[in-house]
Amino acid sequence: MAVQYDAVVVGAGFGGMGAAIQLKRLGLNNLAILEREDDLGGTWHVNRYPGLAVDIASVTYSYSFEPNPHWSRLFAPGAELKKYADHVADKYDLRRHMTFGAVVNGARWEEDEAHWVVSVEGQPEITATYLLTATGFLSQPHRPDISGIDEFAGKIIHTTAWDDSYDLAGTKTAIIGTGATAVQLIPEVARQAADLTVYQRTPIWVVPKLDVPIPSAVQKLFSRIPLTQRIARAVSSGILEMIMVSAVLHYKQVKLLNKGAAAASRAFLRSQVRDAALRKQLTPDYDFGCKRPTFSNSYFRTFTKRNVHLETTSIDHIAADGIVTVDGRKTEIDTLVLATGFNLWDVNFPAIEVIGREGRNLGKWWRDNRFQAYEGVSVPHFPNFLTLASPYSYSGLSYFTTIESQMQHIERLFGELKRRGADTFEVTEAANTEFLDRMTENLADSVFYGGSCQTARSYYFNQHGEAAILRPTSTRNAFVEAKRFPLEAYSIS
Ligand code: NAP
């Protein structure tokens, strides 16, 4: 039977849409974009909790080839990102390729047919010459395995499944978690709930968010003279690149920035919280940068409100009507918000079962060996497969850098296939090993290995203690390599 699609793209977030735009530019129009949710937008469709906003300036957190002059603020609220995703899908004619509610269980490479067989829950299998997974990094919600949680009689909400119809007004709410999500959410919930207890296991570094509305005159300027927005993007991206290269990658050489940021966060905390004991509880004991730092003007101050309590004693169990800490105290609640983040290393790499040549199971192989992918996109033994949310693929501080460098990689690789009239590629063991060795070596100077990160409990680290998400190079290097990687890195036939 003839193969059904040129390519299947799993995921209709910004990553999957970027890949699809590139494939269409290359003439691969027979695409299926499969999305498990009921709409496009990935993270920006799933996350709708109060306070959601980007914390990378919006001029940078967007496709460079599709600037949006209408961002209302320097850091746009989440709903504007969803709207932008809708606009991109329409403009690049992606919707007709998308199927929503399509839960992909797995995919396997058929050696004889030289194609992928993709299994989708409740549907017949589909076949494609190429498979691209764009399933995101933070897409498998982590629900904590706390004893008694299933017996809780009140309302439980995970931040990735916000219930807009649920009124928090007058509730006795608990929030578990103090990551980037909680930092945005806590001030909002504190405004509504009668009583809020925040369960913190690990404090987080928070610095002020220098956010301002973008006046309509500036929006008009961006719209009429796009060069002005490109300049704004270049400035904001340049600052991020400087931070990434110095504070993250060259921590051993330039600790000053991390120490300065930590000092700024402590000073900010002092300016917001008078109570020294509370300040101590809110102060991290790991280096700035080990865990993703966050931005908020109201987070620290919220803990000084009369209706807000910070609980740092470990949770023992959850009862039907409250949370009991290990010292035996029970806090009665009716609403439990899980701001407990995502599971990356057990279930997300990869998010679906992928079986390559000679039956190699990608998830098992990554776990038995090391997490790895050539240039963060391809893996030996997995022909015609690009894994876009991979170890060492996240480049720079804005996700769009990752997406666009991967689009370049796709362009070079598929362009070469076209030139040679070929249709199968597979990265060589040698290229993959060289890349992994180089990334490992580069990490030695980073904050992850040079800094004091033992107590950070950061999801940047996997179960073997490797910081295997971020690509430890400049974004410039990522783009250069995406454009010029040696074609011998792939066997093409
Ligand atoms: P997260 O950073 O992984 O934080 C999860 C929180 O839940 C942590 O404080 C963690 O404590 C706590 N937790 C998990 N299990 C627990 C348990 N059993 N008992 C007690 N506490 C528990 O997740 P997130 O806040 O959702 O953020 C994830 C990422 O999403 C961010 O780092 C960022 O990349 C992205 N994000 C971005 C934005 C933005 O751009 N505006 C906003 C939100 C999120 P420990 O630290 O002790 O494990």
Side-chain angles (χ1 to χ4, degrees):
M1 203 170 79
V3 67
Q4 288 168 279
Y5 293 100
D6 293 337
V8 162
V9 177
V10 184
F14 284 119
M17 292 206 293
I21 290 169
Q22 188 60 277
L23 291 172
K24 284 171 65 114
R25 282 178 185 159
L26 291 158
L28 282 88
N29 283 302
N30 183 17
L31 295 181
I33 304 172
L34 306 178
E35 169 58 57
R36 74 176 175 192
E37 304 296 335
D38 60 1
D39 199 354
L40 61 87
T43 280
W44 301 101
H45 168 57
V46 169
N47 286 283
R48 291 186 322 273
Y49 60 83
L52 174 69
V54 288
D55 54 15
I56 298 290
S58 295
V59 285
T60 285
Y61 195 87
S62 42
Y63 298 108
S64 61
F65 55 87
E66 190 53 44
N68 172 18
H70 309 298
W71 300 120
S72 67
R73 303 188 68 84
L74 189 54
F75 300 97
E80 287 186 30
L81 268 295
K82 167 67 175 120
K83 204 171 146 199
Y84 174 67
D86 286 334
H87 159 78
V88 171
D90 290 334
K91 177 159 174 186
Y92 293 84
D93 189 22
L94 300 177
R95 276 186 202 275
R96 68 188 170 91
H97 304 287
M98 292 178 180
T99 307
F100 299 116
V103 178
V104 176
N105 289 329
R108 64 173 194 279
W109 174 250
E110 281 291 340
E111 188 73 51
D112 295 341
E113 312 286 338
H115 68 210
W116 284 95
V117 179
V118 181
S119 75
V120 183
E121 216 167 270
Q123 290 179 32
E125 290 184 328
I126 60 176
T127 57
T129 308
Y130 304 105
L131 172 69
L132 293 88
T133 48
T135 42
F137 294 86
L138 303 164
S139 51
Q140 317 300 329
H142 166 60
R143 188 182 155 99
D145 190 16
I146 301 172
S147 158
I149 193 165
D150 293 331
E151 275 80 63
F152 181 62
K155 174 84 173 171
I156 300 187
I157 311 173
H158 192 281
T159 52
T160 54
W162 199 258
D163 182 349
D164 297 314
S165 66
Y166 187 71
D167 188 3
L168 284 165
T171 58
K172 282 180 152 186
T173 294
I175 294 181
I176 300 180
T178 50
T181 299
V183 166
Q184 295 185 333
L185 178 70
I186 286 168
E188 300 297 322
V189 174
R191 246 172 244 141
Q192 298 171 41
D195 200 78
L196 170 63
T197 306
V198 175
Y199 288 82
Q200 169 191 279
R201 192 161 63 181
T202 309
I204 189 155
W205 288 113
V206 182
V207 287
K209 191 167 186 176
L210 307 172
D211 193 14
V212 286
I214 299 181
S216 61
V218 175
Q219 294 183 30
K220 272 187 200 137
L221 182 71
F222 284 168
S223 185
R224 289 200 191 130
I225 312 172
L227 177 65
T228 54
Q229 194 171 11
R230 282 209 294 279
I231 293 170
R233 182 185 178 102
V235 171
S236 126
S237 304
I239 294 169
L240 293 180
E241 180 76 339
M242 193 268 291
I243 296 172
M244 176 76 187
V245 171
S246 54
V248 180
L249 301 183
H250 289 288
Y251 172 84
K252 269 200 179 161
Q253 293 80 18
V254 210
K255 293 187 179 79
L256 220 69
L257 218 66
N258 306 60
K259 302 289 174 203
S265 177
R266 274 194 294 263
F268 178 50
L269 175 58
R270 265 196 307 277
S271 74
Q272 299 227 322
V273 177
R274 280 185 167 192
D275 179 343
L278 179 58
R279 279 205 306 265
K280 192 158 183 273
Q281 287 179 306
L282 288 166
T283 306
D285 62 355
Y286 52 87
D287 274 329
F288 194 99
C290 291
K291 188 173 200 157
R292 191 181 184 283
T294 59
F295 307 85
S296 171
N297 300 330
S298 51
Y299 175 72
F300 286 144
R301 202 175 47 226
T302 299
F303 290 99
T304 64
K305 286 179 129 185
R306 239 191 244 151
N307 66 328
V308 180
H309 322 282
L310 178 66
E311 182 57 74
T312 56
T313 308
S314 302
I315 298 172
D316 181 73
H317 68 276
I318 296 178
D321 59 347
I323 299 186
V324 182
T325 41
V326 288
D327 54 7
R329 280 180 298 120
K330 187 204 271 183
T331 301
E332 288 188 5
I333 55 164
D334 48 43
T335 308
L336 173 59
V337 176
L338 302 174
T340 45
F342 303 85
N343 189 333
L344 282 87
W345 298 106
D346 299 320
V347 292
N348 199 48
F349 287 136
I352 60 166
E353 184 180 76
V354 184
I355 310 288
R357 208 157 47 73
E358 294 165 359
R360 182 176 285 183
N361 179 314
L362 181 60
K364 182 170 177 349
W365 186 73
W366 270 344
R367 280 159 187 80
D368 291 350
N369 297 274
R370 291 174 60 196
F371 287 91
Q372 54 196 285
Y374 173 66
E375 292 288 339
V377 293
S378 51
V379 187
H381 263 74
F382 292 85
N384 289 10
F385 172 55
L386 295 178
T387 164
L388 303 180
S390 280
Y392 304 110
S393 67
Y394 202 112
S395 174
L397 297 179
S398 163
Y399 184 34
F400 282 84
T401 317
T402 307
I403 297 170
E404 292 199 27
S405 58
Q406 294 183 333
M407 289 172 74
Q408 295 275 1
H409 194 105
I410 293 171
E411 184 177 4
R412 178 162 170 80
L413 177 59
F414 282 77
E416 184 61 14
L417 290 174
K418 210 170 175 182
R419 269 188 293 283
R420 294 201 203 170
D423 50 23
T424 309
F425 67 82
E426 182 182 329
V427 69
T428 65
E429 299 274 4
N432 178 58
T433 303
E434 185 280 328
F435 183 78
L436 177 62
D437 289 348
R438 191 153 48 90
M439 295 305 108
T440 308
E441 204 181 308
N442 286 1
L443 273 171
D445 286 348
S446 72
V447 64
F448 306 122
Y449 295 168
S452 167
C453 290
Q454 294 76 7
T455 54
R457 298 186 64 104
S458 166
Y459 65 80
Y460 290 152
F461 294 88
N462 65 22
Q463 48 276 73
H464 310 299
E466 295 173 310
I469 298 180
L470 293 183
R471 177 191 171 108
T473 74
S474 64
T475 60
R476 204 185 107 73
N477 169 276
F479 276 110
V480 167
E481 291 192 15
K483 269 190 196 157
R484 301 199 205 133
F485 63 83
L487 292 166
E488 313 82 70
Y490 285 95
S491 39
I492 288 176
S493 55

